[in-house]
Amino acid sequence: MDAATITLTPSAARRVAFIAEKQGKPAALRLAVEGGGCSGFQYRFGLAEGVEADDVISETDGVKLVVDSVSLDLVAGCVVDFVESMGGSMFKVENPQAVAGCGCGSSFAV
């Protein structure tokens, strides 16, 4: 699968750049999928310390979205956005493969 299968929105790219600058780290967000959560799988976000050989990278406005090859199978085609609302702000994954999700938005099933 190529990098076009995952997308970081400009809003999310701005937020990653802001967080990375505050922490003095490269502007790269790692998206991983772990077992657990209310629906079977959950998303895990963090600044990418480095890039592994099997990682897939998508770039928006100079900010990278890094996904490992195992997680990519579960998030191929996804869009990672950053949303702010009265309830708070968060990274949100729009995953076309998810057949079910939970109210918190961080857990899904395929």
Side-chain angles (χ1 to χ4, degrees):
M1 293 186 185
D2 63 0
T5 62
I6 55 173
T7 306
L8 188 66
T9 67
S11 173
R14 282 190 300 275
R15 187 62 181 178
V16 172
F18 174 78
I19 293 169
E21 184 177 331
K22 287 257 190 218
Q23 295 186 13
K25 295 185 177 180
L29 179 69
R30 179 171 292 280
L31 168 61
V33 175
E34 299 176 332
C38 340
S39 298
F41 294 102
Q42 60 189 357
Y43 302 111
R44 183 171 48 86
F45 294 100
L47 290 178
E49 294 294 329
V51 176
E52 303 298 324
D54 66 340
D55 284 342
V56 171
I57 302 166
S58 174
E59 194 166 323
T60 302
D61 299 335
V63 176
K64 294 180 173 129
L65 174 60
V66 181
V67 179
D68 64 90
S69 60
V70 175
S71 296
L72 185 63
D73 289 342
L74 298 168
V75 296
C78 79
V79 175
V80 177
D81 195 8
F82 182 75
V83 294
E84 296 182 80
S85 68
M86 297 274 292
S89 56
M90 66 180 209
F91 286 103
K92 179 180 177 185
V93 178
E94 293 175 24
N95 188 344
Q97 294 189 67
V99 295
C102 65
C104 67
S106 63
S107 179
F108 68 102
V110 290

